[in-house]
């Protein structure tokens, strides 16, 4: 039995309880978690914005130590450090064959499996594949990446979602070039990763936008040259800070229609907007045909930073080891497992950045 955070039903409060976790079968790995990040995507599962089978053990951003492996697993062994990959690619579907592994048709095929059981025998599903809100988890082998050398596992947990997403949004989706101007909407864990990645890419002006004035210090430490509290004049203010033209690139990390529209309006003619935030179906963004023609802007979705984790994790790790990327700067609170509900409340209120569950 291990302690875990279970979502019993959509809209229901999380339950911190004991679950019965099986030993790994063929092609599976058992991980003892060192840390797990609390992400907006976890909150989106609780309120039904994203739907997976329930009851489920949530959590998708984590790292830990391999406890045991099932038959056929050779790339990790007991005692190895591991980073969890919540969206593993199959390598066979149409998108994988195109090299777009972040769009793999089978990435979430594991969410319907029975992951564990409650004390009374109720079957539990693995949230977004990896069920990281638990002391230990059992996952498919393709959900396990060897942890990079020289990075503490508690920090490496952030690599599994926030950092890959933020880094990829800048380097793969928006393709920020040296000297370009960037504006980032939403300064949570992913937004802070975007800011650091824009700095690494050589952006000249980096404007951070958030509803909370308290996040300015976090944003500037991550690389923002300017900070704006979101208002009705945000797009105009961004143009003022970027030579009157607008930013070359906007990255939206909120997932709200008004923010997406403002991000688009904040870019110059011919500018690029990348939408990272996950919004609900009710968030309708509208444009008229004339403005689409006139402005010549590009609006793109971004899934998991358009990253290939096996390719990008070593690159990001080198930035971390070289001091160019500060993983600890993303974390504003370290909590225990039973602190997750309060961390959700903090996210809803727009305070802080990443809350990190530390198990050991």
């Amino acid at each position: 039995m291990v302690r875990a955070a279970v979502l019993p039903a959509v809209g229901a409060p999380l339950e911190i309880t004991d679950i019965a976790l099986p030993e790994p079968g063929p092609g599976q790995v058992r991980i003892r978690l060192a840390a797990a990040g609390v992400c907006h995507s976890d909150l989106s599962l609780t309120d039904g914005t994203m739907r997976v089978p329930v009851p489920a053990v949530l959590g998708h951003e984590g790292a830990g130590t391999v406890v045991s492996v099932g038959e056929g697993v050779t790339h990790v062994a007991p005692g190895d450090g591991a980073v969890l990959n919540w969206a593993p690619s199959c390598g066979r579907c149409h998108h994988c064959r195109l090299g777009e592994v972040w769009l793999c048709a089978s990435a979430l095929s594991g969410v319907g499996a029975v992951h564990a059981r409650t004390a009374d025998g109720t079957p539990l599903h693995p949230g977004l594949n990896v069920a990281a809100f638990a002391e230990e988890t059992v996952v498919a082998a393709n959900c396990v990446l060897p942890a990079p050398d020289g990075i503490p596992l508690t920090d490496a947990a952030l690599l599994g979602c926030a950092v890959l997403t933020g880094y990829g949004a800048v380097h793969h989706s928006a393709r920020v070039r040296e000297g370009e101007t960037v504006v980032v909407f939403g300064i949570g864990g992913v937004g802070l990763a975007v800011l650091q990645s824009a700095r690494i890419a050589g952006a000249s002006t980096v404007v951070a936008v958030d509803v909370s004035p308290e996040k300015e210090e976090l944003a500037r430490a991550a690389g923002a040259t300017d900070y704006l509290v979101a208002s009705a004049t945000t797009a105009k203010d961004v143009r003022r800070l970027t030579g009157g033209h607008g930013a070359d690139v906007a990255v939206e990390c909120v997932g709200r229609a008004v923010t997406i529209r403002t991000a688009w309006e904040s870019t110059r003619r011919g500018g690029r907007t990348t939408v990272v935030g996950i919004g609900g179906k009710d968030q309708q963004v509208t444009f008229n045909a004339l403005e689409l023609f006139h402005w010549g802007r590009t609006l793109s979705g971004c899934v998991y930073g358009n990253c290939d984790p096996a390719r990008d994790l070593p690159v990001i790790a080198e930035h971390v080891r070289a001091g160019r990327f500060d993983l600890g700067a993303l974390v504003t609170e370290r909590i225990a497992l039973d602190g997750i509900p309060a961390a959700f409340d903090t996210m809803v209120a727009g305070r802080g950045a990443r809350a990190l569950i530390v198990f050991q």
Side-chain angles (χ1 to χ4, degrees):
M1 303 291 284
V2 300
R3 297 287 285 174
V6 174
L7 177 67
V10 173
L14 285 183
E15 297 176 357
I16 312 300
T17 186
D18 290 329
I19 64 170
L21 190 67
E23 290 303 312
Q28 292 184 320
V29 180
R30 184 169 181 138
I31 305 285
R32 180 181 300 113
L33 272 298
V38 182
C39 178
H40 258 284
S41 297
D42 300 307
L43 185 62
S44 295
L45 295 177
T46 69
D47 64 18
T49 299
M50 297 170 63
R51 290 195 173 271
V52 294
V54 290
V57 180
L58 298 189
H60 65 281
E61 179 184 84
T65 302
V66 177
V67 175
S68 55
V69 300
E71 181 183 352
V73 177
T74 59
H75 72 297
V76 290
D80 289 350
V83 175
L84 296 175
N85 174 17
W86 64 270
S89 55
C90 70
R92 301 181 302 275
C93 71
H94 177 69
H95 291 291
C96 284
R97 291 197 302 271
L98 291 173
E100 299 171 347
V101 298
W102 54 91
L103 299 178
C104 176
S106 302
L108 294 181
S109 61
V111 300
V114 175
H115 170 72
R117 294 183 184 274
T118 62
D120 65 6
T122 302
L124 298 170
H125 302 288
L128 289 179
N129 279 325
V130 297
F133 286 174
E135 294 169 330
E136 295 189 12
T137 187
V138 174
V139 299
N142 62 354
C143 290
V144 178
L145 297 165
D149 292 336
I151 299 175
L153 288 175
T154 48
D155 290 341
L158 301 164
L159 297 171
C161 183
V163 177
L164 278 168
T165 299
Y167 178 88
V170 169
H171 291 272
H172 301 320
S173 181
R175 296 191 174 102
V176 175
R177 298 181 290 266
E178 186 172 0
E180 288 193 313
T181 56
V182 177
V183 56
V184 182
F185 289 79
I187 310 305
V190 173
L192 289 172
V194 171
L195 289 172
Q196 292 201 49
S197 299
R199 183 187 62 203
I200 290 170
S204 56
T205 298
V206 182
V207 183
V209 182
D210 198 275
V211 296
S212 171
E214 287 76 23
K215 292 187 181 182
E216 180 172 359
E217 184 176 349
L218 284 171
R220 290 189 180 275
T225 58
D226 299 275
Y227 189 85
L228 296 173
V229 177
S231 71
T233 64
T234 295
K236 181 179 178 180
D237 294 336
V238 172
R239 287 194 292 274
R240 174 177 53 80
L241 293 170
T242 53
H245 305 292
D248 296 301
V249 170
V251 182
E252 199 273 358
C253 304
V254 181
R256 295 182 63 234
V258 64
T259 317
I260 294 169
R261 175 74 204 200
T262 303
W264 186 80
E265 290 178 353
S266 297
T267 61
R268 63 171 175 82
R269 196 174 188 188
R272 314 185 298 281
T273 299
T274 287
V275 178
V276 176
I278 301 173
K281 294 180 180 179
D282 60 326
Q283 296 294 313
Q284 298 292 317
V285 189
T286 60
F287 306 90
N288 68 59
L290 182 59
E291 66 181 339
L292 289 175
F293 161 77
H294 172 76
W295 289 104
R297 294 164 170 154
T298 301
L299 179 68
S300 302
C302 179
V303 178
Y304 205 3
N306 293 8
C307 271
D308 178 348
R311 175 198 65 199
D312 292 312
L313 200 60
V315 175
I316 296 170
E318 184 53 38
H319 286 304
V320 174
R321 287 189 291 263
R324 292 184 291 268
F325 201 110
D326 182 359
L327 294 173
L330 275 60
V331 179
T332 51
E333 187 178 18
R334 294 176 186 265
I335 62 173
L337 193 63
D338 59 7
I340 299 173
F344 281 170
D345 292 340
T346 298
M347 273 196 290
V348 171
R351 300 192 303 270
R354 235 352 165 243
L356 187 69
I357 306 159
V358 178
F359 293 94
Q360 59 187 40

